[in-house]
């Protein structure tokens, strides 16, 4: 099991003077919490989206700009954002992947979710339930094992969780979705 001391030494080896305080217990909890969503418990879909996110983050040099990686955005919406942040942090302990430390959602990812209307409006068109379903299923299609949800209702519940949190009705504007990705883990 990783200790805080080993995580701090790893960070020091990479030239970081301070480290986000992730402990070995956090990493154990994160590994056992992967795929858990507050609305419906564990899903293999969430776990596989996070696995792909971690792989893509590693291939990009472990930046904390995970909201520019589609599979990471999908992972943050398919399970507890706190678990995603901890899991990524255990993979690269010198970087804070939770909440306010993350850069804003890459607008190109948002446009990938909503389509061309993102670019045609002074205020980008909001995410609809169907946009969200298509985005999640598109990200699942890119995973190795393609663990489809047992029903589309699983993904609809994830969407409803976001709309309940954002309190924006049936759709989710860019800024509210970005806020969800940054702050929902703490509520």
């Amino acid at each position: 099991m990783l200790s805080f001391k080993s995580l701090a030494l790893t960070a020091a080896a990479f030239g970081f003077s301070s480290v986000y305080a992730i402990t070995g217990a956090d990493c154990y909890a994160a590994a056992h919490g992967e795929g858990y969503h507050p609305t419906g418990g564990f899903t293999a879909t969430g776990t596989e989206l996070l696995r792909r996110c971690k792989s893509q983050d590693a291939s990009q040099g472990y930046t904390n700009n995970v909201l520019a990686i589609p599979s990471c955005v999908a992972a943050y919406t398919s399970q507890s954002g706190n678990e995603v942040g901890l899991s990524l942090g255990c993979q690269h302990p010198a970087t804070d992947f939770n909440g306010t430390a993350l850069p804003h959602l890459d607008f190109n990812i948002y446009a990938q979710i909503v389509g061309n209307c993102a670019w045609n409006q002074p205020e980008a068109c909001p995410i609809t339930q169907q946009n969200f379903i298509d985005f999640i299923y598109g990200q699942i299609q890119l995973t190795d094992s393609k663990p489809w949800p047992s029903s589309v209702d699983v993904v609809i519940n994830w969407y409803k969780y976001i709309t309940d949190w954002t309190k924006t009705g049936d759709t989710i504007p860019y800024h509210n979705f970005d806020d969800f990705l940054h702050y929902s883990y703490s509520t």
Side-chain angles (χ1 to χ4, degrees), residues 53-88:
C53 167
K54 292 187 327 188
S55 172
Q56 290 183 308
D57 180 51
S59 72
Q60 294 182 19
Y62 299 111
T63 70
N64 80 331
N65 195 16
V66 293
L67 298 183
I69 302 171
S71 60
C72 293
V73 173
Y76 271 92
T77 64
S78 68
Q79 58 198 292
S80 165
N82 188 52
E83 297 303 327
V84 174
L86 284 174
S87 187
L88 287 164

Side-chain angles (χ1 to χ4, degrees), residues 37-39 76-77 81 99-100 156-187:
H37 192 278
T39 64
Y76 271 92
T77 64
T100 58
I156 290 170
N157 285 336
W158 296 344
Y159 184 78
K160 286 180 181 175
Y161 183 76
I162 300 169
T163 59
D164 287 349
W165 190 92
T166 60
K167 300 192 182 333
T168 56
D170 293 335
T171 61
I172 310 163
Y174 169 84
H175 293 292
N176 300 85
F177 188 56
D178 186 56
D179 284 349
F180 173 83
L181 295 169
H182 283 87
Y183 305 113
S184 66
Y185 78 94
S186 64
T187 57

Side-chain angles (χ1 to χ4, degrees), residues 107-147:
F107 198 80
N108 290 311
I109 304 301
Y110 185 79
Q112 180 182 338
I113 297 169
V114 300
N116 288 336
C117 65
W119 306 110
N120 299 334
Q121 311 250 343
E123 284 286 323
C125 58
I127 299 171
T128 66
Q129 180 177 291
Q130 189 61 53
N131 294 147
F132 183 76
I133 292 168
D134 293 345
F135 173 69
I136 295 295
Y137 274 81
Q139 290 306 304
I140 295 166
Q141 181 65 37
L142 298 172
T143 65
D144 293 334
S145 64
K146 296 174 187 38

